[in-house]
Amino acid sequence: MKPREIKKGIYCVGAIDWDRRLFDSLIPLPDGTSYNAYLIKGSKKTALIDTVDPPMKDVLLDNLDQLGIKRIDYVIFNHAEPDHSGSIREVLTKYPEAKAVCTPRCKDMLIDRFLVAEDRFQTVEDKETISLGNRTLEFIHAPWVHWPETMLTYLREDKILFPCDFFGSHIATTDMYVRDIGQEYEAAKRYWAEIMMPFRLQIQKNLDKIKDYKIDIIAPSHGPMHDKPQFIIDAYHMWAFDEPGNIVVIPYISMHGSTRCMVAHLVETLSRKGVTVKQFDLAVSDIGKLAISLVDAATIVIGTPTVLTGPHPNVAYAAFLANAIKPKAKFASIIGSYGWGTKAVEQLAAMIPNLKVEILTPVIIKGYPEEADFQALDKLADTIAAKHKEAGLK
Ligand code: FEO
């Protein structure tokens, strides 16, 4: 898109990536994404906040040309990941007077990754400011949002927070501001689950750090901006601080129907006990939807058949992912089947050391489930419902 004015002298100059469907060759992007960059003109100096993913660098450079920008004094790098910093060499070449402004740790990472000359950098400490004349940029160090070098930039006079990935969402849209609240909530929650949730405790501290700033607009570097920022701040507080809900998530695979039959029985029994259940057949599910469901789940029940004595590889992948993104679940169990022998429980249990969960007695059966097996599943459902009640989960 061409440059768009947020207010006098402040422009969106980044790129919308409508067609991207995978990030990091891992994360599904059903709604595309954007790499937002912002140009701020002060009475004396001009700053660019973030750049764009390298394949879209021409969009950024053309937008700066269209605005007639001949000189940039500061290019602010809130974060070293290439989707925001990858055009650093092109931007610094086009604007030779520009200083790359970032945290000391970000400087090292940008030099390592992009081989930029050290004398192009100006590092900033936490709460340090740079004056653009009639406008002031304040830098707020925010480590582990979601890399160790990250910072946020606050434009004081205009009360705009530029937090890069923080509060972002992978959405390609022509809306400058969030207008489709439902789409934004799901996309932001997906973003939280996949990117931010592993650092939930550090993010709690960073949320606390910005609580006294007056913020009229949040301008993240993915997705639309927030002109009603309390919506996303409240959502982050809920995801970061609140207890999980009275929710069970069941990711599973079934090869010949036994595990599917067990899952169906458990889902039915739990839901009759007032527990919300979300089941995901890992053969067909969007792994991002599973990640979203893990944000609020109190219990994870993994369903697997036995393949070569262990869990099905798709189940192992989901367990590995759940372990990596560190949801706040309190309980876990395993259900499934085998033909002649299995070590699926031992192998899966060893794959989730990051989950601080109480393991509830697994239900592993030989062949197709019979009456005694359904009773064992009922007992598991009783235990889950009782544990949720005891923990006061709603
Ligand atoms: Fe959008 Fe961590 O990069």
Side-chain angles (χ1 to χ4, degrees):
M1 281 213 72
K2 295 190 169 158
R4 291 180 293 177
E5 191 175 65
I6 300 172
K7 58 202 291 192
K8 195 168 168 43
I10 306 175
Y11 304 88
C12 300
V13 290
I16 300 174
D17 198 341
W18 292 93
D19 302 322
R20 190 162 180 180
R21 287 293 173 268
L22 207 55
F23 198 87
D24 290 344
S25 298
L26 171 69
I27 296 170
L29 302 181
D31 302 312
T33 190
S34 65
Y35 319 106
N36 304 337
Y38 301 95
L39 188 86
I40 304 171
K41 286 182 179 174
S43 56
K44 295 194 174 135
K45 308 272 187 185
T46 297
L48 174 67
I49 298 190
D50 294 332
T51 69
V52 297
D53 206 31
M56 303 207 111
K57 65 179 184 307
D58 289 343
V59 176
L60 171 64
L61 298 177
D62 287 350
N63 279 344
L64 295 171
D65 283 342
Q66 283 187 33
L67 289 172
I69 303 301
K70 301 284 183 240
R71 176 189 171 107
I72 291 177
D73 299 282
Y74 304 107
V75 185
I76 314 301
F77 291 94
N78 284 321
H79 177 31
E81 194 163 5
D83 52 325
H84 308 293
S85 297
S87 305
I88 183 170
R89 289 173 67 94
E90 290 80 3
V91 169
L92 293 184
T93 300
K94 187 174 169 80
Y95 298 99
E97 305 86 357
K99 282 284 182 195
V101 176
C102 60
T103 65
R105 195 156 187 189
C106 187
K107 172 186 159 185
D108 293 343
M109 292 172 78
L110 290 172
I111 290 173
D112 288 344
R113 178 62 181 78
F114 300 108
L115 312 176
V116 178
E118 189 160 4
D119 62 4
R120 296 301 305 268
F121 286 90
Q122 176 177 334
T123 59
V124 286
E125 296 303 321
D126 189 27
K127 303 291 174 67
E128 195 172 328
T129 59
I130 284 180
S131 174
L132 305 179
N134 61 340
R135 286 181 155 130
T136 313
L137 298 174
E138 178 180 341
F139 306 103
I140 306 163
H141 285 204
W144 298 109
V145 179
H146 60 121
W147 280 14
E149 86 304 358
T150 44
M151 69 177 189
L152 324 176
T153 299
Y154 180 64
L155 182 57
R156 274 186 186 166
E157 293 75 8
D158 301 277
K159 302 182 180 60
I160 303 177
L161 183 70
F162 299 92
C164 199
D165 282 339
F166 207 26
F167 305 121
S169 55
H170 284 307
I171 298 178
T173 172
T174 55
D175 293 338
M176 276 177 72
Y177 296 100
V178 171
R179 292 294 173 258
D180 183 337
I181 296 281
Q183 184 196 32
E184 170 62 20
Y185 188 83
E186 170 145 342
K189 193 171 184 182
R190 177 186 287 259
Y191 196 84
W192 164 270
E194 293 164 337
I195 307 291
M196 299 291 166
M197 189 160 70
F199 308 100
R200 190 165 57 91
L201 299 181
Q202 292 91 333
I203 285 173
Q204 288 177 352
K205 289 183 197 147
N206 285 309
L207 284 170
D208 195 52
K209 212 165 170 183
I210 61 165
K211 73 177 186 329
D212 295 326
Y213 285 82
K214 174 85 181 86
I215 299 170
D216 287 346
I217 295 173
I218 291 179
S221 293
H222 294 295
M225 295 184 288
H226 296 269
D227 55 355
K228 298 180 184 70
Q230 206 55 45
F231 163 74
I232 193 67
I233 292 172
D234 288 347
Y236 262 60
H237 270 267
M238 190 165 66
W239 300 331
F241 289 99
D242 282 9
E243 285 288 296
N246 181 21
I247 299 169
V248 175
V249 168
I250 309 181
Y252 75 97
I253 284 281
S254 189
M255 290 162 65
H256 301 294
S258 292
T259 303
R260 188 186 311 282
C261 178
M262 297 174 75
V263 167
H265 186 88
L266 186 62
V267 169
E268 180 75 21
T269 312
L270 281 166
S271 72
R272 284 181 189 282
K273 291 177 183 299
V275 179
T276 298
V277 193
K278 298 176 184 177
Q279 68 176 69
F280 294 89
D281 178 348
L282 295 168
V284 296
S285 294
D286 169 356
I287 207 81
K289 285 269 192 190
L290 170 62
I292 292 171
S293 75
L294 291 174
V295 172
D296 307 305
T299 298
I300 304 167
V301 178
I302 300 170
T304 187
T306 297
V307 179
L308 301 172
T309 73
H312 188 286
N314 285 19
V315 173
Y317 173 72
F320 185 86
L321 184 75
N323 185 62
I325 63 178
K326 300 182 187 166
K328 52 192 172 188
K330 292 174 177 290
F331 312 102
S333 191
I334 300 165
I335 64 174
S337 60
Y338 63 95
W340 53 91
T342 183
K343 295 231 181 297
V345 167
E346 296 89 320
Q347 290 185 18
L348 279 174
M351 292 179 72
I352 51 172
N354 288 343
L355 302 188
K356 303 301 173 210
V357 289
E358 177 185 346
I359 301 284
L360 309 178
T361 307
V363 181
I364 302 297
I365 68 159
K366 189 164 187 249
Y368 204 76
E370 298 180 71
E371 191 48 38
D373 306 318
F374 292 128
Q375 283 173 12
L377 290 168
D378 290 345
K379 195 169 169 202
L380 176 60
D382 284 344
T383 306
I384 291 170
K387 293 274 183 190
H388 286 199
K389 197 169 176 194
E390 220 171 88
L393 306 180
K394 297 190 179 80

